[in-house]
Amino acid sequence: MDVQQLLSNNRFWAESLRARDPDFFARLARQQRPEFLWIGCSDSRVPANEVVGLMPGELFVHRNVANMVVATDMNFLSVLQFAVDVLQVKQVIVCGHYGCGGVRAALGHEELGLIDNWLRALKALYHQHREQFVGLDDEARVNLLCELNVQRQVRNVCHTTIVQNAWKRQQPLEVHGWIYGLSDGLLKDLGVTINSADLLDDTFLYQL
């Protein structure tokens, strides 16, 4: 497949949507009002809109290697601020996936380059929970760290002043942690939803 095939695919996709709904793109061009922000991994096997069955305009998306929420990442913070303050999304979903290559790399000792710095927080997370990994085979270790990573990133989202300010002004906002199975295409809710600053440790609360 070459890039010309991608352009051909695009024309077919656009024509198919217009055939079902002639005004679809005209409406989409006027505004976007998604209720969801998806924070996911860059992995090409996890297409955000498709796995949750949503159309263009219904899901605001931020993706990076290993679905990380880094306090100094201005790209992520800009997306979060726009989604929460401007679009006023009601649900933030942090979604990892089993078998994540970034997580697997963090569990190894091979030098990969710039990405090693990005994944350092995952190494620290593994070190913090290392007793849970005793006796597990390689695949189970990767998948456990994938789950722990989602749980940590949910809390990292909630530790931002962006989210805490939203709660202070009584804006309805929930942050969820999900994980996707590459082998079956199914999402799993990890049960770590946070919808109030009252659910956070005092250390991470701001006097806003």
Side-chain angles (χ1 to χ4, degrees), residues 107 121-130 133 141 145:
L107 284 170
L122 279 172
K123 287 184 175 291
L125 183 62
Y126 166 72
H127 181 74
Q128 181 181 354
H129 295 275
R130 59 192 180 279
F133 292 81
R141 291 169 71 244
L145 189 55

Side-chain angles (χ1 to χ4, degrees), residues 14-40:
E15 289 167 2
S16 298
L17 279 179
R18 279 196 296 267
R20 296 201 304 266
D21 182 354
D23 297 325
F24 178 79
F25 288 107
R27 288 198 311 273
L28 199 62
R30 287 194 292 270
Q31 64 180 359
Q32 64 166 336
R33 291 197 179 277
E35 293 190 8
F36 307 94
L37 167 63
W38 174 282
I39 301 167

Side-chain angles (χ1 to χ4, degrees), residues 130-191:
R130 59 192 180 279
E131 71 284 351
Q132 296 184 38
F133 292 81
V134 175
L136 299 181
D137 62 28
D138 287 346
E139 203 60 28
R141 291 169 71 244
V142 170
N143 289 338
L144 174 57
L145 189 55
C146 288
E147 291 187 351
L148 292 173
N149 182 43
V150 169
Q151 294 167 13
R152 173 60 57 85
Q153 305 316 321
V154 165
R155 302 197 77 81
N156 285 350
V157 171
C158 298
H159 293 162
T160 65
T161 54
I162 297 165
V163 169
Q164 291 188 32
N165 269 313
W167 285 330
K168 183 180 179 182
R169 59 180 178 261
Q170 304 299 309
Q171 181 176 333
L173 184 64
E174 294 186 327
V175 184
H176 309 273
W178 294 358
I179 194 157
Y180 176 76
L182 294 174
S183 62
D184 59 14
L186 296 178
L187 290 163
K188 176 183 177 183
D189 187 340
L190 293 177

